[in-house]
Amino acid sequence: MSFWENFWDIFWWFIYVYAFFAFLFALFVIIGDVFRDQELTGWWKAVWIVFLAFLPILSVLVYLIARGKGMAERTMERSRRNQEEADAYIRQVAAASPTEELSKAKALLDAGTISPDEFEKIKSSILV
């Protein structure tokens, strides 16, 4: 009987593959957290990496139990900081100052692209 003929063999194979990829994901998240943590000294980072290399399953479990809450807090803080930086960049790039908008409208008026009435509408909308 071949492997693919037995449903339970296939089922358990998928469970093992899922567990392996979940372990790898947790391992890489923990390694990233170890290197991003500003509170850990270089020696503690080295100790965690050595334990993760030689006792991976036990080290992952210990790290998640001992430092899991701090890991979540650091992730949320990093996420908040990234969002603030992105928002500041978007505001800086997207929003022109009122004087820039007014000078653009004046240039359009001088070029004859817009009428004086349209210029006054733009001016009033900028200054409001």
Side-chain angles (χ1 to χ4, degrees):
M1 176 157 46
S2 77
F3 171 77
W4 293 107
E5 291 176 6
N6 189 347
F7 171 77
W8 291 109
D9 288 342
I10 296 169
F11 175 78
W12 286 111
W13 181 81
F14 278 112
I15 295 296
Y16 294 143
V17 169
Y18 174 79
F20 177 71
F21 282 110
F23 168 74
L24 284 180
F25 178 77
L27 183 68
F28 289 120
V29 167
I30 289 171
I31 290 171
D33 186 63
V34 164
F35 284 109
R36 279 189 214 105
D37 189 3
Q38 300 297 321
E39 297 174 6
L40 281 179
T41 64
W43 288 105
W44 279 112
K45 290 177 183 183
V47 167
W48 275 114
I49 295 302
V50 166
F51 276 111
L52 286 168
F54 293 108
L55 299 170
I57 295 174
L58 180 64
S59 298
V60 165
L61 292 175
V62 169
Y63 191 89
L64 290 175
I65 291 168
R67 298 181 49 86
K69 183 178 178 187
M71 190 171 153
E73 291 169 353
R74 283 186 295 278
T75 301
M76 288 182 356
E77 176 62 26
R78 186 172 51 252
S79 214
R80 184 193 57 76
R81 190 174 53 246
N82 289 344
Q83 184 64 45
E84 287 175 354
E85 289 173 2
D87 291 345
Y89 175 75
I90 290 170
R91 278 192 296 277
Q92 174 189 357
V93 172
S97 69
T99 55
E100 290 174 356
E101 292 290 329
L102 201 54
S103 66
K104 288 178 187 177
K106 179 67 173 152
L108 290 174
L109 177 65
D110 292 342
T113 307
I114 60 173
S115 67
D117 292 335
E118 291 172 321
F119 175 74
E120 289 301 323
K121 286 180 187 176
I122 293 171
K123 183 178 171 183
S124 65
S125 67
I126 292 172
L127 298 176
V128 170

